[in-house]
Amino acid sequence: MKDNLRNTYNKIAEDWHKDHLLDDWWVEVTEKYVSLLPRGGSVLDVGCGSGVKSSFLASRGLQVTGVDLSDKMIEIARRENPSIKFDVLDLYDTDTITEKFDGVFAQAVLLHIPKKDTAEIIQKLKDRLKDDGYLYIGVKEIKKGSPEEDVVEEKDYGYDYSRFFSYYSVKEIEDYIKDARLKTVYSTRTQTNDTTWIQIIAQS
């Protein structure tokens, strides 16, 4: 499944990048997240895609490292943000990073893994935090009567592609955070088009 997701994002990278440049549903909560971090602090942007959020975080004075499983996405991120460090790295391999960060930012990334792996991944992200560091998670809320996991066939950009998605309730994510011995400090639901985003900030 990871190879399929990597291949899909390599295929749609340029179109996806252009399509998401003007998204702003995440800005308010990300500003709150930034306000909790030390001035000039370090942030690991996991599943950074083409680097749009990495650029935003860096513009707020943070030292950002972005990682993503798609080498094409990382190529775009480096092209658009030459002063930010980006590396190709799978979400499951974040435990190979030795550095610890003031913050870990994981927006629209847990939604691409099976729920059976969620606890493991959140623990890996927590392990990359310094003491009293902050984890941001953004996922899609499950819709009533819809499956918890699904492979979605899409053709937004004029060609066919598919992606695996998992969907959560606020309680589910908060329970995962509690089980990882993190403390939820902020939780909200943000509506955009036909998607409700759950955005949570937790502290180690």
Side-chain angles (χ1 to χ4, degrees):
M1 188 169 67
K2 286 189 287 184
D3 286 342
N4 288 340
L5 190 66
R6 179 185 295 108
N7 292 339
T8 291
Y9 273 109
N10 281 342
K11 179 179 181 179
I12 70 174
E14 291 287 357
D15 289 319
W16 187 96
H17 172 65
K18 293 171 188 173
D19 192 35
H20 288 79
L21 280 174
L22 299 180
D23 287 354
D24 61 2
W25 59 265
W26 50 270
V27 172
E28 183 178 351
V29 179
T30 303
E31 289 280 26
K32 182 173 185 64
Y33 177 70
V34 170
S35 75
L36 296 170
L37 300 175
R39 185 180 298 274
S42 59
V43 177
L44 177 66
D45 183 4
V46 180
C48 67
S50 60
V52 173
K53 315 307 167 19
S54 296
S55 177
F56 181 90
L57 293 166
S59 75
R60 298 310 190 261
L62 297 166
Q63 304 302 309
V64 182
T65 299
V67 297
D68 197 276
L69 88 167
S70 164
D71 48 288
K72 183 60 178 176
M73 284 289 195
I74 291 296
E75 180 183 312
I76 297 169
R78 288 172 175 162
R79 180 189 76 205
E80 299 293 319
N81 307 279
S83 63
I84 299 175
K85 179 183 178 184
F86 292 102
D87 290 309
V88 177
L89 187 74
D90 191 278
L91 178 64
Y92 288 81
D93 297 329
T94 51
D95 52 356
T96 64
I97 301 173
T98 56
E99 183 181 353
K100 294 214 171 187
F101 300 83
D102 296 299
V104 173
F105 189 83
Q107 187 178 99
V109 58
L110 293 182
L111 52 71
H112 284 317
I113 66 168
K115 286 189 172 183
K116 67 180 180 61
D117 296 340
T118 303
E120 172 194 350
I121 294 300
I122 288 178
Q123 184 62 52
K124 285 176 184 280
L125 300 183
K126 176 196 174 183
D127 290 345
R128 302 277 51 80
L129 286 173
K130 296 178 182 177
D131 292 342
D132 299 321
Y134 289 91
L135 170 65
Y136 165 101
I137 291 175
V139 293
K140 292 185 176 185
E141 184 176 56
I142 189 168
K143 296 177 181 177
K144 187 175 180 179
S146 296
E148 292 189 8
E149 300 179 337
D150 197 15
V151 175
V152 179
E153 305 289 338
E154 300 169 272
K155 56 192 312 177
D156 316 39
Y157 306 132
Y159 49 84
D160 296 332
Y161 62 97
S162 63
R163 291 180 291 172
F164 172 89
F165 285 95
S166 56
Y167 306 95
Y168 296 84
S169 68
V170 172
K171 185 179 185 305
E172 267 185 298
I173 290 294
E174 290 183 344
D175 284 347
Y176 280 121
I177 286 170
K178 184 179 178 181
D179 290 344
R181 298 184 181 276
L182 292 159
K183 181 178 77 171
T184 297
V185 296
Y186 185 79
S187 176
T188 191
R189 297 162 65 251
T190 305
Q191 186 72 34
T192 174
N193 299 322
D194 63 345
T195 297
T196 301
W197 288 93
I198 298 168
Q199 298 185 86
I200 288 181
I201 302 171
Q203 186 177 23
S204 62

